[in-house]
Amino acid sequence: MADNQQPAFERGTDGPKVIVVGVDGSDSSWRAAAYAAGLARRQGAKLALVYIQPLLPAGATMGAPVVDTTHEVAEELMAEIRRSTERLQGLYRIRWEFHTLRGDPYAGMVQMADELQADAVVVGASESAGHRIMGSVAVRLVKTGRWPVTVVP
């Protein structure tokens, strides 16, 4: 390789540099965030916390109050993340960022992992019985096969 050429991006060669974790306020997503934060701290990686605001089917929408609720959840998640970060300030140094977008949770996680060039994806195990039929976001991410995926119970 010539001195002026940069090496091509390569995932996971020296451990993760960017870890994407899905958060939605559930207990399993908070456990996933804690696990991912520990991994990011130990690896010196950036932690990207991602909340996908769900889209509701047209027949199920109730208008502005439903949209406002998903924004409130995003704001509450961000506030809790900030409180946790402040409690640990001085003990641990973790580079982190928070992303939120609207859409299908699986598609949103894929989009964010691709955009951020994630080396690893961490999600909580599904707490919904309906996922046995449709498949959980975690299972779908594993089947995608583009990143190492850790599913935290």
Side-chain angles (χ1 to χ4, degrees), residues 50-65:
V50 177
Y51 169 59
I52 311 301
Q53 298 177 35
L55 289 178
L56 300 172
T61 60
M62 303 296 178

Side-chain angles (χ1 to χ4, degrees), residues 51-97:
Y51 169 59
I52 311 301
Q53 298 177 35
L55 289 178
L56 300 172
T61 60
M62 303 296 178
V66 174
V67 173
D68 290 344
T69 299
T70 61
H71 290 301
E72 287 174 17
V73 170
E75 289 173 11
E76 288 174 17
L77 290 171
M78 185 64 190
E80 180 60 31
I81 293 164
R82 283 191 196 282
R83 283 191 296 272
S84 296
T85 303
E86 289 169 5
R87 278 194 305 266
L88 298 175
Q89 196 171 21
L91 297 175
Y92 303 113
R93 294 196 60 107
I94 298 174
R95 294 178 300 129
W96 65 275
E97 55 193 39

Side-chain angles (χ1 to χ4, degrees), residues 14-21 32-49 92-97 119-120 122:
D14 294 325
K17 299 295 180 217
V18 177
I19 301 168
V20 172
V21 59
Y35 177 88
L39 183 60
R41 180 184 56 81
R42 289 186 299 278
Q43 295 290 327
K46 178 169 49 175
L47 178 65
L49 297 114
Y92 303 113
R93 294 196 60 107
I94 298 174
R95 294 178 300 129
W96 65 275
E97 55 193 39
D119 296 299
V122 179

